[in-house]
Amino acid sequence: MMSAAKPRAGLLKLLKRAWTGDNASQIVEFALSLPVLVLFVVGIFDFSSAISLKQRLTNAAREGARVAASDPANDLGGTALPAPTSVADALFVVDNYLVSEKINGCGVVGATPTQNKLTWTYTSVGSCPGSGITLAINRGCKSTTSGGTVNLIATCVSITYPYRWQYSSFAGLVGGTFAGPANLTTTAAAFNEN
């Protein structure tokens, strides 16, 4: 009888040691936390990329508004297309800025503009994902100074650019969802000099 109780006690001792040991707990913790860590890293890179792109689009809009605002406004009287020289100047400055920053211009230069009073809108799907790029150049937008008492006529340039989030595809792999904005939109204004 003693011989059967000894192996049982040894087996129970071995099971107790295996059950209470923490030799592999770090591997299990790492395996459970790795998807969350990767989700954070992908999110950081994706959101910083979106912020960087928005900043470069803001710079392109600012340069386009500055160039158009410095052009004379005497070519704005007609409604015939193509757009007046001051609007075309802004279009080419924005496109050149996008090219210099290695941002896909989606062929917006080749797009035919639509006109609504003093606003010319270029929309191109070119090789862009989603809805394509939209560039609106308004040569007569009203802008208020910081005091709020003086209204000045300015040139406003707005860019709407499609952005494909990498974060959403990775979030789907780990069972989550993310629906970020499909477009980045930025606007810049410069007071008309002429």
Side-chain angles (χ1 to χ4, degrees):
M1 284 241 190
M2 285 297 205
S3 62
K6 228 177 196 186
R8 186 179 300 164
L11 181 62
L12 288 173
K13 191 175 183 180
L14 180 65
L15 285 173
K16 183 179 178 184
R17 190 177 342 142
W19 184 259
T20 59
D22 61 354
N23 293 339
S25 65
Q26 293 88 7
I27 293 172
V28 172
E29 290 170 1
F30 180 71
L32 291 174
S33 63
L34 183 64
V36 174
L37 292 173
V38 172
L39 193 66
F40 283 137
V41 169
V42 169
I44 288 168
F45 281 109
D46 204 20
F47 283 96
S48 65
S49 176
I51 290 170
S52 174
L53 177 60
K54 183 163 176 127
Q55 183 62 39
R56 293 184 290 166
L57 292 172
T58 300
N59 291 341
R62 186 182 309 119
E63 289 301 311
R66 184 186 59 78
V67 165
S70 66
D71 282 347
N74 60 1
D75 63 348
L76 299 175
T79 59
L81 294 175
T85 304
S86 60
V87 173
D89 285 349
L91 169 69
F92 289 121
V93 165
V94 168
D95 185 61
N96 287 337
Y97 195 92
L98 295 177
V99 168
S100 71
E101 291 292 321
K102 296 179 179 55
I103 300 172
N104 185 357
C106 304
V108 73
V109 170
T112 304
T114 58
Q115 182 185 3
N116 181 10
K117 298 182 182 176
L118 293 175
T119 303
W120 285 263
T121 305
Y122 297 84
T123 303
S124 174
V125 291
S127 59
C128 275
S131 59
I133 188 172
T134 301
L135 173 66
I137 302 166
N138 183 350
R139 289 283 283 136
C141 67
K142 187 169 75 170
S143 188
T144 306
T145 62
S146 60
T149 56
V150 179
N151 293 327
L152 299 171
I153 302 301
T155 296
C156 296
V157 175
S158 298
I159 301 173
T160 303
Y161 196 86
Y163 186 73
R164 185 169 172 249
W165 294 92
Q166 303 300 320
Y167 188 75
S168 58
S169 60
F170 183 76
L173 291 175
V174 294
T177 59
F178 173 74
N183 294 313
L184 299 177
T185 302
T186 185
T187 302
F191 295 118
N192 289 342
E193 297 175 16
N194 298 319

